[in-house]
Amino acid sequence: MKFSVSFAILAGLVSRIVAAPVNNAPFLVTINDTEHVIGNSIWNITIGQTYGTKLYYKGKDIVGNAVGHYVSYNGAASNLNWTSVSVFERTETYLDVSFSANEGDFHWVIYPNQAGAYQYFVNRALPILGEFRSLFRLDNTTFFNGKTDIKEGPLPTLTQIANSTKVQDETWQQADGTYITKYDWSAFIRDQKYYGVYGPRYGSWYIYPGKDEYNGDQLKQELLVHRESATGDVVQLNMLHGTHFMASSSDAFEVGKTWGPWLWYLNDGSFEDVSKKSDNEENKWPYSWFQSSTNYHSRGSVSGTLKLSDGRPASGAAVFLGDNHPNETTLDMGRYNYFTAYADSHGSFTFTNVRSGAYALQAWANGGSIGDISTTFLQNDVTVTKGKQTALRSLIWKTQSRKQIWQIGIMDRKSLGFLYGGAPHQHALVAKCPANLTYTIGSSVESDWCFGQSALGSWDVSFSIPQLKSNSSAVLSVSLAGYSSGVSDSILMNGVVVGNLTSANIPTDPCLYRSGTTAGEWHYFEFGVPAATLKEGLNKLSFQCTRSTLWHGFMWDSVILEWA
Ligand SMILES: *[C@@H]1O[C@H](CO)[C@@H](O)[C@H](O)[C@H]1NC(C)=O
Ligand SMILES: *[C@@H]1O[C@H](CO)[C@@H](O)[C@H](O)[C@H]1NC(C)=O
Ligand SMILES: *[C@@H]1O[C@H](CO)[C@@H](O)[C@H](O)[C@H]1NC(C)=O
Ligand SMILES: *[C@@H]1O[C@H](CO)[C@@H](O)[C@H](O)[C@H]1NC(C)=O
Ligand SMILES: *[C@@H]1O[C@H](CO)[C@@H](O)[C@H](O)[C@H]1NC(C)=O
Ligand SMILES: *[C@@H]1O[C@H](CO)[C@@H](O)[C@H](O)[C@H]1NC(C)=O
Ligand SMILES: *[C@@H]1O[C@H](CO)[C@@H](O)[C@H](O)[C@H]1NC(C)=O
Ligand SMILES: *[C@@H]1O[C@H](CO)[C@@H](O)[C@H](O)[C@H]1NC(C)=O
Ligand SMILES: *[C@@H]1O[C@H](CO)[C@@H](O)[C@H](O)[C@H]1NC(C)=O
């Protein structure tokens, strides 16, 4: 059926009378300077100076008493205020309404038959910031549940929270000893096909097929949905730039930097439906209808094959296109656009739809057959040109090239394999890890090592060296999947201090105390182990925890001992 379009755009009305939209046509109705209604015949929302409320869908106001839709940075003190509202673009197929704040323009792109709208934000004057987001705070008698790629089900209720004891930031202990925390609703943001909140007959979702504008790398985590503990609102977060699991991520943005478009989508709560919708959006991305950002369609691809200097293919490596000549870690980057992929078993990788520009290609081991590699690969000045395929040849990744004595875990920047490593989010899990532990090389298994160390005590590695070559020193590599400060270790080889992991010397991220179980920020250290500290026969390496802070500490990735 061909749709005949006519828009009802009634600007400058002084009365509260609103005209019924023609057919399914998208509309902007101006009530007065600070109140506008946008939508189509399926839904509409009334947007005031800051908040979008009265969100009608299927005959119901699904914001109700909740706060509604808004855009904010660095916490609630900085909610954007709309100073003007205009039709940015009207085409045969959609209406693009722009809400302007001093900091930039938030757009709603409304199609006649779409339940929901595309949204995007164009920067004008955002300050240097860590957190920037749009969100819906929705009616809690319509929406009861949250869904991410790893968790679904009821959000904790305000009654449960009120019945519990607050133990830290947005975390409560219930009478039975278990915890409630909003951080259980976090996940790796680039792994989301869709996520949102739902209840009987209603679902509200974010589908963000182009994730280039997000800060960070493959391991960027964010809080995605939660129960607002002060009001009981059901919250659906769109963390455009976030810091919830990071040591630092403060960025300045170019004028014109655009986040999105992503799709905010309404349905009856069906996962099957939103999943199908998300597949469709992925197939349509980059969106051909989106023409207002000059560089959005200027994209090319990058492919190559990575080989380790020892001849092995860089099988399964994590590959990343980010800041050229970087001065920040891949997770901390956030000014520009970022592209993530994984190499196949031959070390070959392809990035498609990469924005034109100059990048550094980085790669690191993601376990598997190269889980012993502690070096990372970096190649600057990878140029991407519109419509072209950049083929990178003979990429040689220099390994640490040392003979391994033993390794615990695998290099993948994650705690996977250890006890509780990668477990479903749960507050205080690290408190279940032992204070003292002995891991015997040759007989212990990976899961005998716990994912995190937090308590005063000693974690010992017992190993034997059958024959000591004269004066052969070793290198101890410690790879942390994350670290929450306030916990320090001394590292001893047979009772002799060879190094330390000391609070204040390591950037701190909230992973361990915000119910992270897989990763926070990655840290890598090498310690020289003098020949004189080693002996023939049985040896003991100790991670002695000398300072402890409840629920904080080290989240392990891997520990490796190699001959120097
Ligand atoms: C705009 O209209 C709303 C709702 O009718 C009213 O509450 C608000 O005071 C009005 N604002 C101005 C600036 O007139
Ligand atoms: C918004 O939707 C409600 C409920 O369907 C309807 O009563 C109202 O007229 C709509 N507003 C506009 C401007 O169309
Ligand atoms: C928006 O206005 C409110 C109240 O007028 C103010 O408190 C808030 O700081 C403003 N937001 C920004 C980002 O300036
Ligand atoms: C919903 O919010 C109200 C406050 O508006 C609160 O009293 C109620 O407990 C909340 N419901 C749930 C399930 O948390
Ligand atoms: C509140 O806590 C008590 C125990 O202190 C428990 O028996 C009760 O079920 C709890 N109520 C709710 C709503 O969680
Ligand atoms: C990296 O360089 C950019 C300028 O190119 C600067 O704005 C940023 O602060 C630097 N980051 C660090 C961690 O030094
Ligand atoms: C850990 O070992 C030390 C030294 O043997 C001991 O003093 C301490 O009580 C142990 N801690 C626990 C929790 O068992
Ligand atoms: C042992 O090796 C270290 C470091 O390679 C070197 O400085 C030292 O002189 C050597 N000692 C002997 C006795 O060879
Ligand atoms: C930890 O090691 C560093 C580097 O060797 C050293 O400078 C520092 O003094 C040590 N700190 C403690 C508390 O031992």
Side-chain angles (χ1 to χ4, degrees):
M1 189 192 85
K2 181 122 171 51
F3 186 72
S4 103
V5 185
S6 78
F7 294 105
I9 298 148
L10 311 173
L13 279 194
V14 285
S15 75
R16 281 151 154 250
I17 299 160
V18 278
V22 180
N23 300 325
N24 286 342
F27 58 84
L28 162 66
V29 174
T30 296
I31 308 285
N32 60 33
D33 277 359
T34 57
E35 196 157 307
H36 302 80
V37 188
I38 57 170
N40 57 26
S41 67
I42 300 170
W43 63 276
N44 68 66
I45 188 168
T46 300
I47 301 181
Q49 181 189 281
T50 309
Y51 303 105
T53 55
K54 295 197 276 279
L55 170 53
Y56 290 105
Y57 177 55
K58 294 202 289 185
K60 189 173 181 185
D61 173 5
I62 60 173
V63 163
N65 293 325
V67 168
H69 182 268
Y70 60 105
V71 181
S72 85
Y73 61 89
N74 294 346
S78 303
N79 296 346
L80 300 199
N81 296 311
W82 312 122
T83 54
S84 70
V85 178
S86 61
V87 169
F88 178 76
E89 192 186 16
R90 198 181 324 177
T91 75
E92 297 260 298
T93 51
Y94 64 78
L95 174 70
D96 179 336
V97 182
S98 171
F99 286 75
S100 291
N102 294 332
E103 295 83 355
D105 301 333
F106 191 87
H107 293 250
W108 301 69
V109 177
I110 308 165
Y111 278 75
N113 294 308
Q114 179 97 278
Y118 292 103
Q119 300 176 318
Y120 64 97
F121 182 84
V122 183
N123 177 47
R124 179 179 304 110
L126 279 172
I128 293 173
L129 56 76
E131 182 178 80
F132 178 53
R133 64 203 180 146
S134 74
L135 64 154
F136 278 97
R137 287 170 60 166
L138 295 167
D139 176 47
N140 73 11
T141 65
T142 306
F143 301 94
F144 300 93
N145 310 298
K147 174 154 174 58
T148 71
D149 70 323
I150 54 168
K151 186 176 170 73
E152 68 194 49
L155 296 167
T157 66
L158 221 50
T159 313
Q160 285 174 308
I161 291 173
N163 203 18
S164 306
T165 309
K166 189 159 191 171
V167 294
Q168 63 161 38
D169 160 42
E170 294 299 309
T171 307
W172 297 265
Q173 186 164 30
Q174 304 184 96
D176 68 358
T178 61
Y179 295 96
I180 297 173
T181 177
K182 71 175 182 182
Y183 299 108
D184 284 353
W185 295 95
S186 304
F188 294 113
I189 200 159
R190 283 187 165 76
D191 291 350
Q192 305 307 308
K193 253 169 71 94
Y194 66 89
Y195 65 89
V197 294
Y198 62 100
R201 299 187 59 234
Y202 290 89
S204 179
W205 311 99
Y206 283 124
I207 298 171
Y208 201 142
K211 296 174 166 67
D212 1 342
E213 305 93 10
Y214 284 153
N215 58 316
D217 61 18
Q218 282 91 331
L219 294 179
K220 176 68 174 63
Q221 283 170 102
E222 266 311 332
L223 179 62
L224 298 176
V225 300
H226 70 100
R227 166 91 54 196
E228 173 54 56
S229 64
T231 61
D233 294 0
V234 167
V235 185
Q236 181 188 355
L237 278 175
N238 179 35
M239 298 298 306
L240 296 167
H241 194 283
T243 65
H244 278 110
F245 292 88
M246 306 182 61
S248 67
S249 71
S250 196
D251 288 302
F253 307 109
E254 292 171 337
V255 174
K257 173 168 170 120
T258 301
W259 280 271
W262 61 87
L263 178 65
W264 159 63
Y265 179 61
L266 290 168
N267 75 357
D268 63 359
S270 156
F271 299 167
E272 198 188 330
D273 171 73
V274 63
S275 176
K276 205 178 293 169
K277 184 75 180 173
S278 148
D279 289 340
N280 287 339
E281 295 303 314
E282 255 162 50
N283 291 337
K284 287 191 286 188
W285 184 85
Y287 295 121
S288 57
W289 58 263
F290 185 62
Q291 294 295 337
S292 56
S293 167
T294 49
N295 63 2
Y296 182 79
H297 290 289
S298 181
R299 295 175 191 259
S301 63
V302 177
S303 64
T305 300
L306 263 168
K307 212 176 208 192
L308 303 186
S309 56
D310 62 16
R312 283 181 287 166
S315 175
V319 284
F320 176 83
L321 284 174
D323 294 355
N324 201 16
H325 299 279
N327 63 350
E328 290 167 6
T329 67
T330 54
L331 188 66
D332 287 349
M333 292 177 192
R335 277 169 284 158
Y336 305 117
N337 296 303
Y338 303 96
F339 300 86
T340 60
Y342 292 93
D344 66 14
S345 58
H346 307 291
S348 298
F349 59 86
T350 304
F351 295 89
T352 54
N353 289 311
V354 180
R355 306 271 188 119
S356 298
Y359 296 86
L361 171 70
Q362 300 206 45
W364 57 92
N366 186 37
S369 62
I370 64 163
D372 58 319
I373 300 305
S374 57
T375 58
T376 59
F377 175 85
L378 168 72
Q379 176 160 317
N380 287 305
D381 303 315
V382 172
T383 304
V384 178
T385 314
K386 184 176 182 175
K388 295 254 161 63
Q389 171 158 349
T390 302
L392 302 170
R393 279 172 224 293
S394 54
L395 300 172
I396 304 295
W397 174 351
K398 213 171 155 342
T399 70
Q400 68 268 34
S401 185
R402 289 188 291 254
K403 192 171 173 331
Q404 192 178 99
I405 304 169
W406 52 257
Q407 176 172 14
I408 301 174
I410 47 166
M411 295 292 301
D412 60 359
R413 303 191 176 183
K414 296 183 282 254
S415 68
L416 304 181
F418 299 136
L419 183 60
Y420 307 126
H425 288 306
Q426 189 183 318
H427 177 64
L429 205 48
V430 72
K432 294 191 178 167
C433 288
N436 296 310
L437 177 156
T438 298
Y439 188 99
T440 306
I441 299 297
S443 61
S444 292
V445 293
E446 209 174 24
S447 57
D448 290 337
W449 191 264
C450 207
F451 83 122
Q453 185 185 18
S454 177
L456 296 177
S458 187
W459 287 27
D460 299 339
V461 183
S462 166
F463 63 100
S464 97
I465 298 178
Q467 208 175 8
L468 205 54
K469 276 183 279 169
S470 71
N471 200 24
S472 42
S473 57
V475 175
L476 175 71
S477 301
V478 176
S479 179
L480 298 177
Y483 174 66
S484 301
S485 70
V487 177
S488 299
D489 268 6
S490 290
I491 306 173
L492 296 86
M493 184 63 81
N494 296 316
V496 179
V497 174
V498 294
N500 64 70
L501 297 165
T502 302
S503 188
N505 291 342
I506 311 172
T508 178
D509 72 68
C511 67
L512 261 190
Y513 63 87
R514 283 187 171 170
S515 66
T517 61
T518 303
E521 286 226 17
W522 176 68
H523 303 284
Y524 177 73
F525 306 91
E526 287 184 355
F527 303 97
V529 180
T533 66
L534 295 165
K535 55 188 188 193
E536 231 156 71
L538 219 50
N539 289 259
K540 186 170 82 170
L541 175 75
S542 305
F543 291 96
Q544 273 181 7
C545 182
T546 55
R547 177 182 168 194
S548 175
T549 299
L550 187 63
W551 307 323
H552 291 232
F554 306 101
M555 192 189 284
W556 302 102
D557 169 21
S558 188
V559 180
I560 310 176
L561 189 69
E562 294 162 320
W563 293 117

